[in-house]
Amino acid sequence: MVDILVTASRIYTGREVLGEGYIYVRDGVVTALGEGVPPEDLTYPTITLGGRGRIAAPGLALAADTPAYLLRFLRPSVERRVQLYRALGHDAAFTSSLPAVYELHLHGVTTVFIEYITPDLPARLAEAVGGRYGLLHPSCPGAPEPGGKPPALAGVVSRGCGEGGAPGWALESLPVYRPSALERPWSLSEELRREAGLGEGVLREGSTAEIAVFDSSRPPGMLLDRYELSLDALYRLGLQVESLVSGSDILVDGGEHLYIVEKHFSEAYSLASRLAGLL
């Protein structure tokens, strides 16, 4: 059993904004949240995150073409990406996805829908990295039907193959893979959750813990805890998280990813030159 206590000077729940308060997580589920100091029985967690001068907010659900991340500056179309996915092989698709997942996690995305032709890749990421994943299936010629949703995945959604088929909540062929690249990050996250049947991404008792913690005690987020923004505006700032909780997994702490590290970047860098020849 893993108990996580998150404290913050301001808590955005997705429905309201609280002053200084706390969120308590037990085995991946929010069991209590409120203003003020936590009750005595919630003061002995396994780990404590946040603190004074921090902002806590619900994490986002977004989709991305993570296996094509290393080729994003070439801006391949979805049809070319499907050809790439078929040629890559499962191990290369995994290695190529890790830098994108790293960037998404460090900017508050707790549920990542992976564009791919089978559910095997997001299921492997869930097992190896932690966090919540879904499948974004491109409905293109040559892409096999995804079949049923594996238990490890949050959901399966589809996207069109032709020009203009990219949904607003999908990040693809962009220089950066972070919520601030979208005009309405929180609103689009909620659209994706509805499309996938996940329900609202709000913080409330009984909800799956998806929590982003930002440092407002120093630049670039300094003093943000004194002001109330919309969640769209908060995520448009492009701040890096200090901590990220997705279910029972702490993916980021102290501003560092705990599972995707330097060796993964070296492997991806070595892979990049080979991938360019597949387009």
Side-chain angles (χ1 to χ4, degrees):
M1 182 171 66
V2 177
D3 287 10
I4 302 168
L5 174 63
V6 180
T7 61
S9 294
R10 189 175 290 272
I11 298 174
Y12 292 79
T13 70
R15 290 181 176 170
E16 60 181 336
V17 182
L18 306 178
E20 188 165 348
Y22 62 91
I23 308 165
Y24 200 85
V25 177
R26 174 163 290 170
D27 289 340
V29 175
V30 176
T31 59
L33 78 163
E35 290 188 310
V37 298
E40 175 68 23
D41 61 332
L42 301 182
T43 55
Y44 302 98
T46 310
I47 188 167
T48 300
L49 303 175
R52 208 164 261 184
R54 305 300 189 272
I55 294 171
L60 301 181
L62 292 175
D65 56 344
T66 64
Y69 179 84
L70 300 178
L71 302 176
R72 64 196 184 282
F73 295 110
L74 299 178
R75 301 182 61 83
S77 66
V78 63
E79 295 93 339
R80 298 299 298 276
R81 294 200 301 270
V82 168
Q83 295 173 11
L84 173 69
Y85 301 157
R86 295 180 67 190
L88 266 183
H90 192 52
D91 288 343
F94 175 80
T95 297
S96 184
S97 291
L98 289 176
V101 172
Y102 171 92
E103 187 170 3
L104 291 164
H105 283 168
L106 258 69
H107 291 87
V109 181
T110 45
T111 299
V112 184
F113 278 76
I114 304 293
E115 183 187 81
Y116 199 59
I117 52 179
T118 70
D120 299 341
L121 177 58
R124 181 174 174 185
L125 287 163
E127 180 179 1
V129 177
R132 288 163 56 83
Y133 298 85
L135 174 68
L136 172 59
H137 183 260
S139 300
C140 295
E145 289 300 315
K149 179 181 78 69
L153 298 190
V156 177
V157 294
S158 297
R159 59 152 298 160
C161 191
E163 186 176 343
W169 32 256
L171 297 160
E172 56 180 53
S173 300
L174 295 172
V176 295
Y177 278 50
R178 57 190 66 172
S180 59
L182 304 173
E183 286 296 325
R184 301 177 296 118
W186 167 256
S187 300
L188 291 169
S189 169
E190 291 298 277
E191 285 184 21
L192 174 54
R193 289 183 187 277
R194 287 192 292 271
E195 179 78 13
L198 298 182
E200 293 180 298
V202 299
L203 296 174
R204 64 177 186 273
E205 291 184 16
S207 67
T208 299
E210 298 190 56
I211 306 167
V213 179
F214 300 94
D215 186 354
S216 58
S217 70
R218 62 182 64 188
M222 191 171 185
L223 300 179
L224 270 177
D225 57 313
R226 298 189 182 183
Y227 302 93
E228 184 175 326
L229 306 177
S230 70
L231 282 170
D232 279 326
L234 177 64
Y235 275 106
R236 282 282 293 162
L237 294 175
L239 301 178
Q240 185 170 307
V241 300
E242 180 178 76
S243 302
L244 190 73
V245 178
S246 182
S248 58
D249 297 318
I250 300 172
L251 301 174
V252 178
D253 193 25
E256 299 290 337
H257 205 291
L258 301 184
Y259 301 101
I260 302 176
V261 296
E262 191 61 39
K263 73 168 186 175
H264 298 119
F265 304 140
S266 297
E267 291 166 358
Y269 196 92
S270 299
L271 176 64
S273 57
R274 182 165 73 85
L275 294 191
L278 296 177
L279 285 180

